[in-house]
PDB file of all heavy atoms in Angstrom:
ATOM      1  N   THR A  12     104.892 101.910 105.205  1.00  0.00           N
ATOM      2  CA  THR A  12     106.017 101.348 106.161  1.00  0.00           C
ATOM      3  C   THR A  12     106.360 102.584 107.105  1.00  0.00           C
ATOM      4  O   THR A  12     107.495 102.681 107.505  1.00  0.00           O
ATOM      5  CB  THR A  12     107.260 101.084 105.365  1.00  0.00           C
ATOM      6  OG1 THR A  12     107.501 102.075 104.379  1.00  0.00           O
ATOM      7  CG2 THR A  12     106.831  99.803 104.476  1.00  0.00           C
ATOM      8  N   GLY A  13     105.412 103.398 107.491  1.00  0.00           N
ATOM      9  CA  GLY A  13     105.791 104.535 108.411  1.00  0.00           C
ATOM     10  C   GLY A  13     105.509 104.143 109.799  1.00  0.00           C
ATOM     11  O   GLY A  13     105.665 103.072 110.183  1.00  0.00           O
ATOM     12  N   LYS A  14     105.155 105.198 110.614  1.00  0.00           N
ATOM     13  CA  LYS A  14     105.001 104.909 112.125  1.00  0.00           C
ATOM     14  C   LYS A  14     104.016 103.981 112.483  1.00  0.00           C
ATOM     15  O   LYS A  14     104.267 103.149 113.376  1.00  0.00           O
ATOM     16  CB  LYS A  14     104.743 106.354 112.686  1.00  0.00           C
ATOM     17  CG  LYS A  14     105.922 107.341 112.572  1.00  0.00           C
ATOM     18  CD  LYS A  14     105.688 108.641 113.218  1.00  0.00           C
ATOM     19  CE  LYS A  14     104.737 109.600 112.388  1.00  0.00           C
ATOM     20  NZ  LYS A  14     105.250 109.964 111.150  1.00  0.00           N
ATOM     21  N   VAL A  15     102.823 104.040 112.010  1.00  0.00           N
ATOM     22  CA  VAL A  15     101.683 103.125 112.224  1.00  0.00           C
ATOM     23  C   VAL A  15     102.077 101.618 111.770  1.00  0.00           C
ATOM     24  O   VAL A  15     102.012 100.703 112.560  1.00  0.00           O
ATOM     25  CB  VAL A  15     100.382 103.499 111.714  1.00  0.00           C
ATOM     26  CG1 VAL A  15      99.362 102.362 112.014  1.00  0.00           C
ATOM     27  CG2 VAL A  15      99.959 104.769 112.369  1.00  0.00           C
ATOM     28  N   MET A  34     104.824  98.565  99.856  1.00  0.00           N
ATOM     29  CA  MET A  34     105.497  99.913  99.901  1.00  0.00           C
ATOM     30  C   MET A  34     105.858 100.299  98.383  1.00  0.00           C
ATOM     31  O   MET A  34     106.008  99.496  97.562  1.00  0.00           O
ATOM     32  CB  MET A  34     106.813  99.849 100.561  1.00  0.00           C
ATOM     33  CG  MET A  34     107.738  98.829 100.190  1.00  0.00           C
ATOM     34  SD  MET A  34     109.316  99.118 101.080  1.00  0.00           S
ATOM     35  CE  MET A  34     109.674 100.726 100.881  1.00  0.00           C
ATOM     36  N   ARG A  35     106.006 101.621  98.213  1.00  0.00           N
ATOM     37  CA  ARG A  35     106.285 102.173  96.918  1.00  0.00           C
ATOM     38  C   ARG A  35     107.620 101.807  96.338  1.00  0.00           C
ATOM     39  O   ARG A  35     107.793 101.631  95.168  1.00  0.00           O
ATOM     40  CB  ARG A  35     106.161 103.762  96.961  1.00  0.00           C
ATOM     41  CG  ARG A  35     104.590 104.155  97.215  1.00  0.00           C
ATOM     42  CD  ARG A  35     104.440 105.578  97.531  1.00  0.00           C
ATOM     43  NE  ARG A  35     105.311 106.006  98.775  1.00  0.00           N
ATOM     44  CZ  ARG A  35     105.633 107.184  99.274  1.00  0.00           C
ATOM     45  NH1 ARG A  35     105.314 108.132  98.461  1.00  0.00           N
ATOM     46  NH2 ARG A  35     106.372 107.324 100.376  1.00  0.00           N
ATOM     47  N   ARG A  41     116.238 100.867 103.615  1.00  0.00           N
ATOM     48  CA  ARG A  41     115.520 101.034 104.871  1.00  0.00           C
ATOM     49  C   ARG A  41     114.429  99.951 105.246  1.00  0.00           C
ATOM     50  O   ARG A  41     114.171  99.696 106.430  1.00  0.00           O
ATOM     51  CB  ARG A  41     114.989 102.446 105.186  1.00  0.00           C
ATOM     52  CG  ARG A  41     113.588 102.577 104.542  1.00  0.00           C
ATOM     53  CD  ARG A  41     113.162 104.016 104.615  1.00  0.00           C
ATOM     54  NE  ARG A  41     112.033 104.259 103.714  1.00  0.00           N
ATOM     55  CZ  ARG A  41     110.726 104.072 103.997  1.00  0.00           C
ATOM     56  NH1 ARG A  41     110.407 103.623 105.091  1.00  0.00           N
ATOM     57  NH2 ARG A  41     109.859 104.168 103.041  1.00  0.00           N
ATOM     58  N   THR A  71      97.620 102.351 105.885  1.00  0.00           N
ATOM     59  CA  THR A  71      98.239 103.300 106.700  1.00  0.00           C
ATOM     60  C   THR A  71      98.961 104.517 105.886  1.00  0.00           C
ATOM     61  O   THR A  71      99.851 105.092 106.520  1.00  0.00           O
ATOM     62  CB  THR A  71      99.383 102.690 107.563  1.00  0.00           C
ATOM     63  OG1 THR A  71     100.570 102.294 106.715  1.00  0.00           O
ATOM     64  CG2 THR A  71      98.839 101.389 108.194  1.00  0.00           C
ATOM     65  N   PRO A  72      98.462 104.807 104.859  1.00  0.00           N
ATOM     66  CA  PRO A  72      99.130 106.060 104.182  1.00  0.00           C
ATOM     67  C   PRO A  72      98.648 107.309 104.823  1.00  0.00           C
ATOM     68  O   PRO A  72      97.580 107.320 105.471  1.00  0.00           O
ATOM     69  CB  PRO A  72      98.605 105.881 102.707  1.00  0.00           C
ATOM     70  CG  PRO A  72      97.510 105.112 102.753  1.00  0.00           C
ATOM     71  CD  PRO A  72      97.440 104.312 103.964  1.00  0.00           C
ATOM     72  N   THR A  95      93.252 103.172 109.113  1.00  0.00           N
ATOM     73  CA  THR A  95      93.760 103.717 110.181  1.00  0.00           C
ATOM     74  C   THR A  95      93.947 105.306 109.987  1.00  0.00           C
ATOM     75  O   THR A  95      94.364 106.015 110.910  1.00  0.00           O
ATOM     76  CB  THR A  95      95.247 103.308 110.370  1.00  0.00           C
ATOM     77  OG1 THR A  95      96.062 103.788 109.445  1.00  0.00           O
ATOM     78  CG2 THR A  95      95.222 101.841 110.502  1.00  0.00           C
ATOM     79  N   ASN A  97      93.618 109.318 109.487  1.00  0.00           N
ATOM     80  CA  ASN A  97      93.086 110.626 109.930  1.00  0.00           C
ATOM     81  C   ASN A  97      93.412 111.707 108.863  1.00  0.00           C
ATOM     82  O   ASN A  97      94.533 111.759 108.357  1.00  0.00           O
ATOM     83  CB  ASN A  97      93.584 110.934 111.336  1.00  0.00           C
ATOM     84  CG  ASN A  97      92.994 110.057 112.477  1.00  0.00           C
ATOM     85  OD1 ASN A  97      91.914 109.796 112.381  1.00  0.00           O
ATOM     86  ND2 ASN A  97      93.952 109.496 113.252  1.00  0.00           N
ATOM     87  N   VAL A 135      94.498 105.834 118.306  1.00  0.00           N
ATOM     88  CA  VAL A 135      95.536 105.514 119.244  1.00  0.00           C
ATOM     89  C   VAL A 135      96.895 106.037 118.614  1.00  0.00           C
ATOM     90  O   VAL A 135      97.133 105.968 117.449  1.00  0.00           O
ATOM     91  CB  VAL A 135      95.728 103.970 119.330  1.00  0.00           C
ATOM     92  CG1 VAL A 135      96.829 103.615 120.413  1.00  0.00           C
ATOM     93  CG2 VAL A 135      94.290 103.389 119.633  1.00  0.00           C
ATOM     94  N   PHE A 137     100.765 106.103 117.682  1.00  0.00           N
ATOM     95  CA  PHE A 137     101.538 105.042 117.269  1.00  0.00           C
ATOM     96  C   PHE A 137     102.637 104.555 118.371  1.00  0.00           C
ATOM     97  O   PHE A 137     102.958 103.359 118.346  1.00  0.00           O
ATOM     98  CB  PHE A 137     102.340 105.478 115.944  1.00  0.00           C
ATOM     99  CG  PHE A 137     103.616 106.304 116.294  1.00  0.00           C
ATOM    100  CD1 PHE A 137     104.788 105.701 116.307  1.00  0.00           C
ATOM    101  CD2 PHE A 137     103.519 107.579 116.449  1.00  0.00           C
ATOM    102  CE1 PHE A 137     106.030 106.425 116.428  1.00  0.00           C
ATOM    103  CE2 PHE A 137     104.556 108.385 116.506  1.00  0.00           C
ATOM    104  CZ  PHE A 137     105.939 107.882 116.683  1.00  0.00           C
TER     105      PHE A 137
HETATM  106  N1  NAP B 301     101.212 108.537 113.820  1.00  0.00           N
HETATM  107  C1  NAP B 301     100.144 108.187 114.528  1.00  0.00           C
HETATM  108  O1  NAP B 301     100.413 108.182 115.735  1.00  0.00           O
HETATM  109  C2  NAP B 301      98.894 107.799 113.989  1.00  0.00           C
HETATM  110  C3  NAP B 301      97.969 107.187 114.809  1.00  0.00           C
HETATM  111  C4  NAP B 301      96.625 106.848 114.288  1.00  0.00           C
HETATM  112  C5  NAP B 301      96.403 107.034 112.999  1.00  0.00           C
HETATM  113  N2  NAP B 301      97.318 107.633 112.307  1.00  0.00           N
HETATM  114  C6  NAP B 301      97.068 107.716 110.895  1.00  0.00           C
HETATM  115  O2  NAP B 301      97.556 106.562 110.170  1.00  0.00           O
HETATM  116  C7  NAP B 301      98.029 106.941 108.899  1.00  0.00           C
HETATM  117  C8  NAP B 301      99.629 106.576 108.920  1.00  0.00           C
HETATM  118  O3  NAP B 301     100.310 107.474 109.826  1.00  0.00           O
HETATM  119  P1  NAP B 301     101.842 107.280 110.061  1.00  0.00           P
HETATM  120  O4  NAP B 301     102.112 108.229 111.178  1.00  0.00           O
HETATM  121  O5  NAP B 301     102.343 105.978 110.090  1.00  0.00           O
HETATM  122  O6  NAP B 301     102.330 108.012 108.829  1.00  0.00           O
HETATM  123  P2  NAP B 301     103.717 107.961 108.124  1.00  0.00           P
HETATM  124  O7  NAP B 301     104.698 107.718 109.209  1.00  0.00           O
HETATM  125  O8  NAP B 301     103.915 109.311 107.323  1.00  0.00           O
HETATM  126  O9  NAP B 301     103.710 106.811 107.138  1.00  0.00           O
HETATM  127  C9  NAP B 301     102.873 106.709 106.107  1.00  0.00           C
HETATM  128  C10 NAP B 301     103.407 105.747 104.959  1.00  0.00           C
HETATM  129  O10 NAP B 301     102.494 105.811 103.873  1.00  0.00           O
HETATM  130  C11 NAP B 301     103.273 105.516 102.711  1.00  0.00           C
HETATM  131  N3  NAP B 301     102.923 106.361 101.679  1.00  0.00           N
HETATM  132  C12 NAP B 301     102.178 106.136 100.562  1.00  0.00           C
HETATM  133  N4  NAP B 301     102.089 107.115  99.839  1.00  0.00           N
HETATM  134  C13 NAP B 301     102.655 108.234 100.315  1.00  0.00           C
HETATM  135  C14 NAP B 301     102.948 109.630 100.007  1.00  0.00           C
HETATM  136  N5  NAP B 301     102.435 110.099  98.924  1.00  0.00           N
HETATM  137  N6  NAP B 301     103.640 110.234 100.839  1.00  0.00           N
HETATM  138  C15 NAP B 301     104.092 109.748 101.951  1.00  0.00           C
HETATM  139  N7  NAP B 301     103.994 108.538 102.309  1.00  0.00           N
HETATM  140  C16 NAP B 301     103.205 107.684 101.533  1.00  0.00           C
HETATM  141  C17 NAP B 301     104.783 105.610 102.992  1.00  0.00           C
HETATM  142  O11 NAP B 301     105.233 104.195 102.995  1.00  0.00           O
HETATM  143  P3  NAP B 301     106.194 103.728 101.649  1.00  0.00           P
HETATM  144  O12 NAP B 301     107.236 104.715 101.587  1.00  0.00           O
HETATM  145  O13 NAP B 301     106.746 102.364 102.266  1.00  0.00           O
HETATM  146  O14 NAP B 301     105.259 103.588 100.628  1.00  0.00           O
HETATM  147  C18 NAP B 301     104.753 106.075 104.503  1.00  0.00           C
HETATM  148  O15 NAP B 301     105.759 105.344 105.324  1.00  0.00           O
HETATM  149  C19 NAP B 301      97.855 108.343 108.603  1.00  0.00           C
HETATM  150  O16 NAP B 301      96.687 108.591 107.913  1.00  0.00           O
HETATM  151  C20 NAP B 301      97.531 108.911 110.071  1.00  0.00           C
HETATM  152  O17 NAP B 301      96.795 110.042 109.990  1.00  0.00           O
HETATM  153  C21 NAP B 301      98.555 108.019 112.598  1.00  0.00           C
END
Side-chain angles (χ1 to χ4, degrees):
T12 53
K14 294 180 282 299
V15 169
M34 60 170 306
R35 293 166 297 166
R41 82 184 160 86
T71 76
T95 69
N97 287 313
V135 190
F137 79 97

